[in-house]
Amino acid sequence: MSDARNKPLHPRTRGVHHGIRRSQYGELAEALFMTQGFHYDSAEQAEARFIKVGPDEFIYARYGNPTSRMFEDRIADLEGTEDAFATASGMAAVNGALMAMVKPGDHVVAARALFGSCLYVLDILQKFGVEVSFVDGTDLDQWRAAVRPGTRAVFFETMSNPTLEIVDIAGVAEIAHAAGATVVVDNVFTTPVFSRAVEQGADVVIYSSTKHIDGAGRALGGVICGTRDFVRGVAEPYVKHTGGAISPFNAWLMLGGMATMDLRVRAQADTALKLATAMEGRPGFARVIYPGLASHPQHDLAMRQMGSGGTMIAMDLQGGKDAAFDFLNRLQIISISNNLGDAKSIVTHPATTTHQRLSDEDRAKLGIGPGLVRLSVGIEDADDLLDDIDAALKG
Ligand SMILES: *Cc1c(COP(=O)(O)O)cnc(C)c1O
């Protein structure tokens, strides 16, 4: 999006204005078109629309809806992709993008440290005859060894949950593209605010808009961003026919979320850096993991790739599960929950919740010990949060 002088506008401006489709009433806010169907003036018009849908025409909300399209246009513009398709949840986006592009016999390489539901989708792929190889996403040699001519896609979370390892997008993309593979990234932890994924070589960028895009923990949503050929030619047919489209109501919430996203996420990241810096000096934490700290093993890569440490912190409490539980139970402002990217700060004990189903061995491999706690930093005052943390540590 650019202005009348053809000057490119900044993301904060585009996040408020881009993609608006106004009705005949000239409403200022984005309209909520809560309709699944669309009226045709004549049988001929209906016939014509089923032959070819025009750029501002719709048939059925599972295929598209003006409010959903506003959200798609806005996120595609911010992400720097030609197009986007909005989905019912982040998982509908992951499943939609991957299932739409593979067939039996294809080969996919994925990072091992993935959100549990993403691992489940890769299991489904294998069930239908797709070969999946898993690698340590931070080790480019492992990607190099696993990718081969004919590899259809590589898939990874650009920042892993919950141990905040960074995968080098440009490095993996170079390896993948040399073999003709499509680079599909789950960019949730990076957030659209700090994303330069496409510039760095990603072909398809996926978000759970449930997280930072809504930003208030109200609704599920997701989005697949990519080239027009991929989004409309590959992903959309699969998602629209299998029922994965977003509800117009949720898309409307996401549009509101995007208007404030840049302000929120930057403030959250500033607070995260403050908290991580302070916590690193507190006895009680065996380790504080935050990509914005110089102590993070991939600090330089994080800064190069995102320009920020993001909004998530992981802390290892001295004293294991008991200490972690005591800490969680004593917090008063920070909520125990498992959402992230919310305006409210949220703390999670991955070993007993989000990663409970993994074996002890697999958890250990991913660095998820009994004392590990994940903190999603909200938009509250940083000093209040630090007081809450300090009080909870002291008991
Ligand atoms: C939450 C999340 C998802 C799934 O998103 P939903 O909107 O819950 O379906 C996928 N990947 C990552 C990294 C997530 O954090």
Side-chain angles (χ1 to χ4, degrees):
M1 186 182 175
S2 57
D3 70 2
R5 299 160 300 167
N6 233 352
K7 234 179 123 184
L9 297 173
H10 294 88
R12 195 173 286 183
T13 309
R14 282 147 47 202
V16 177
H17 290 283
H18 189 80
I20 292 188
R21 288 162 188 253
R22 291 216 159 85
S23 78
Q24 71 271 34
Y25 300 112
E27 67 283 348
L28 184 59
E30 295 80 356
L32 170 53
F33 290 94
M34 204 67 217
T35 181
Q36 54 81 6
F38 298 84
H39 165 84
Y40 310 109
D41 290 333
S42 64
E44 287 78 9
Q45 192 186 51
E47 182 188 32
R49 200 164 301 178
F50 271 78
I51 293 170
K52 185 165 175 40
V53 194
D56 201 26
E57 293 176 349
F58 300 92
I59 288 180
Y60 194 65
R62 180 152 51 72
Y63 290 29
N65 165 286
T67 306
S68 308
R69 189 59 55 82
M70 287 192 250
F71 170 46
E72 293 168 346
D73 286 348
R74 189 170 291 178
I75 185 73
D77 178 67
L78 273 190
E79 196 58 36
T81 54
E82 287 174 2
D83 216 333
F85 192 84
T87 56
S89 66
M91 284 324 303
V94 171
N95 180 61
L98 292 175
M99 286 292 270
M101 67 192 294
V102 295
K103 58 179 187 325
D106 278 349
H107 178 232
V108 170
V109 183
R112 193 178 298 131
L114 289 179
F115 187 67
S117 301
C118 293
L119 285 171
Y120 188 87
V121 169
L122 292 170
D123 278 351
I124 300 175
L125 254 51
Q126 287 171 289
K127 206 166 92 184
F128 287 98
V130 175
E131 191 191 338
V132 182
S133 313
F134 290 97
V135 297
D136 173 346
T138 62
D139 183 349
L140 288 180
D141 286 337
Q142 289 197 23
W143 286 101
R144 224 170 265 125
V147 171
R148 58 190 194 223
T151 298
R152 181 73 189 87
V154 300
F155 175 67
F156 55 95
E157 291 170 15
T158 52
M159 194 199 294
S160 76
N161 172 28
T163 51
L164 311 180
E165 289 178 349
I166 316 287
V167 177
D168 180 349
I169 300 175
V172 176
E174 197 187 323
I175 295 163
H177 288 157
T182 302
V183 177
V184 183
V185 303
D186 176 332
N187 217 19
V188 169
F189 276 51
T190 299
T191 85
V193 173
F194 300 126
S195 171
R196 297 201 300 273
V198 169
E199 207 181 291
Q200 287 154 349
D203 300 302
V204 178
V205 186
I206 290 167
Y207 289 103
S208 160
S209 68
T210 314
K211 314 291 169 54
H212 302 81
I213 295 177
D214 174 55
R218 299 170 298 186
L220 291 169
V223 69
I224 304 167
C225 305
T227 61
R228 182 144 304 129
D229 280 353
F230 181 81
V231 170
R232 298 296 159 190
V234 179
E236 180 193 296
Y238 176 84
V239 180
K240 78 183 182 188
H241 290 303
T242 56
I246 196 169
S247 151
F249 182 79
N250 288 5
W252 178 77
L253 291 172
M254 301 308 165
L255 280 162
M258 286 187 74
T260 59
M261 179 173 65
D262 195 90
L263 292 167
R264 277 187 284 108
V265 170
R266 287 184 194 282
Q268 285 167 285
D270 287 348
T271 301
L273 178 59
K274 258 191 218 170
L275 297 183
T277 305
M279 287 192 289
E280 206 172 32
R282 300 282 195 274
F285 294 117
R287 191 173 167 217
V288 174
I289 305 170
Y290 180 64
L293 292 176
S295 60
H296 189 285
Q298 297 164 296
H299 175 66
D300 291 344
L301 173 62
M303 290 299 129
R304 210 163 57 235
Q305 192 156 295
M306 309 187 294
S308 166
T311 67
M312 305 292 296
I313 307 173
M315 302 95 82
D316 222 336
L317 272 287
Q318 246 150 18
K321 181 181 167 185
D322 288 347
F325 272 34
D326 284 345
F327 177 71
L328 260 61
N329 290 334
R330 289 189 199 119
L331 288 166
Q332 292 186 5
I333 298 170
I334 302 172
S335 301
I336 304 171
S337 184
N338 41 268
N339 192 27
L340 62 98
D342 197 306
K344 297 180 178 71
S345 291
I346 288 172
V347 75
T348 310
H349 186 248
T352 54
T353 60
T354 53
H355 293 71
Q356 188 190 125
R357 276 170 312 176
L358 296 185
S359 66
D360 289 347
E361 194 194 338
D362 283 347
R363 268 198 299 273
K365 245 191 247 161
L366 295 175
I368 305 170
L372 192 81
V373 163
R374 184 187 83 182
L375 174 61
S376 169
V377 178
I379 63 172
E380 302 96 333
D381 186 279
D383 291 333
D384 290 341
L385 294 176
L386 194 55
D387 286 347
D388 198 27
I389 288 167
D390 279 336
L393 262 186
K394 286 195 194 98

